[in-house]
Amino acid sequence: METLSENRSFEGVQGVYKHASTACGCDMTFAVYLPPQAKTGKVPVLWYLSGLTCTHENAMVKAGLQEHAAEHGLALVFPDTSPRGDDVADDDAYDLGQGAGFYVNATRNPWRPHFQMYDYITSELRDLVLANFAILDRHGITGHSMGGHGALTIAMRNPDMYDSLSAFAPIANPTQSDWGRKQLSAYLGDDESSWCQHDSVLLMDDKGWKGDLLIDQGGSDQFLDLLKPETLAEAMMRNRQPGVFRMQEGYDHSYFFVNSFAGDHVAWHADRLLQDQ
């Protein structure tokens, strides 16, 4: 693991690192924020998965999570959204290929050799940060847009690995959206039964979430027709899923929206991750 940068932030350290990924078959870059509490002992960690076109850097710089994480004593992990490099398959469209991994393990070429983002997040990067940073094996997960989709589906599929869950404007029902059908068919093939494990609405009906969850959605989001938030709200009601689903009047899909409610989400995770600590 190579250190690319480390900067003091709210008395903690915001670092950016690179390593050779076995899962993705290329170098991967990620960021970790360690709060000041990590100087004296291990701390729980909140994973933030980013959306289409993003790298590790977008949320690290724009989401404003570090101040809240320092207040509560949580580490933050910001993974990249896809493998990258000259040898990695790509597409001219912004919503497929590099920057658009959708947190799945691709089974179709040309994507399969590198686009193994599900394994990367849930196994390889998880093991790497636990081994190299002052982080407890106690994890929350959140994300925005494509990353909200990733957070919800990964947590519901792995309830033993995550202790808290939230999302900002997630792609809620990708099997029924152009932000989903295009990518899932490209990465996984045309058999839609293989898509089910990557749709939070279908997983809510099948598995649900072991605890409560927090969803924030901007009421003036320009992508509401693609995100389909009503389908997730209805699935939560249908399955009597404990949680809070908030439509935030006037907010769009930007990081101004994420930044506005970042404190609420970090506090939500802290309440659950710091229990019995």
Side-chain angles (χ1 to χ4, degrees):
M1 188 179 72
E2 177 185 352
T3 300
L4 300 182
S5 65
E6 288 184 334
N7 299 94
R8 190 178 179 115
S9 176
F10 298 101
E11 305 306 317
V13 176
Q14 177 62 68
V16 179
Y17 309 93
K18 181 172 72 172
H19 73 112
S21 167
T22 301
C24 295
C26 62
D27 286 346
M28 295 290 287
T29 302
F30 66 98
V32 173
Y33 175 72
L34 291 177
Q37 295 86 342
K39 297 173 184 176
T40 56
K42 292 185 176 182
V43 297
V45 58
L46 175 59
W47 293 72
Y48 182 99
L49 305 186
S50 291
L52 289 167
T53 76
C54 292
T55 69
H56 69 279
E57 188 175 29
N58 297 72
M60 181 184 79
V61 173
K62 297 180 181 179
L65 293 163
Q66 291 89 342
E67 180 177 9
H68 309 295
E71 176 186 351
H72 292 284
L74 298 184
L76 302 168
V77 176
F78 304 97
D80 203 345
T81 56
S82 78
R84 298 180 191 273
D86 293 341
D87 296 330
V88 176
D90 201 7
D91 189 90
D92 290 338
Y94 76 94
D95 57 354
L96 186 66
Q98 296 185 35
F102 259 76
Y103 305 101
V104 305
N105 286 340
T107 58
R108 294 187 70 191
N109 289 325
W111 314 106
R112 185 166 71 174
H114 299 287
F115 282 73
Q116 303 295 313
M117 288 301 295
Y118 178 85
D119 282 352
Y120 179 70
I121 297 296
T122 61
S123 181
E124 185 177 24
L125 186 58
R126 181 187 179 97
D127 290 345
L128 187 69
V129 298
L130 286 174
N132 289 278
F133 299 92
I135 289 175
L136 291 168
D137 193 6
R138 190 165 179 83
H139 306 254
I141 190 166
T142 189
H144 174 232
S145 194
M146 180 185 72
H149 139 80
L152 292 170
T153 57
I154 286 172
M156 281 191 276
R157 291 178 63 184
N158 300 280
D160 57 324
M161 295 173 60
Y162 299 94
D163 299 288
S164 57
L165 175 60
S166 74
F168 300 85
I171 301 174
N173 195 192
T175 63
Q176 302 302 316
S177 169
D178 288 341
W179 272 0
R181 294 188 63 82
K182 172 183 177 179
Q183 295 82 2
L184 294 174
S185 62
Y187 297 142
L188 303 178
D190 295 330
D191 179 3
E192 296 189 19
S193 65
S194 67
W195 303 359
C196 297
Q197 295 299 301
H198 304 288
D199 187 302
S200 64
V201 170
L202 299 180
L203 286 169
M204 186 65 68
D205 285 334
D206 182 40
K207 300 178 183 294
W209 168 242
K210 66 179 181 181
D212 52 359
L213 69 158
L214 171 63
I215 309 291
D216 272 311
Q217 171 63 61
S220 296
D221 193 313
Q222 58 271 46
F223 301 115
L224 283 173
D225 290 344
L226 293 166
L227 301 170
K228 298 187 178 297
E230 68 283 356
T231 62
L232 181 56
E234 290 164 0
M236 290 174 64
M237 289 293 292
R238 185 165 61 246
N239 293 282
R240 300 180 181 179
Q241 171 66 51
V244 178
F245 194 111
R246 307 190 301 192
M247 290 293 291
Q248 301 290 3
E249 183 180 1
Y251 284 89
D252 61 16
H253 198 67
S254 71
Y255 266 98
F256 295 108
F257 157 66
V258 174
N259 190 288
S260 297
F261 301 101
D264 290 354
H265 283 250
V266 174
W268 174 277
H269 288 275
D271 285 347
R272 289 146 184 82
L273 294 173
L274 294 170
Q275 289 179 1
D276 304 323
Q277 295 296 306

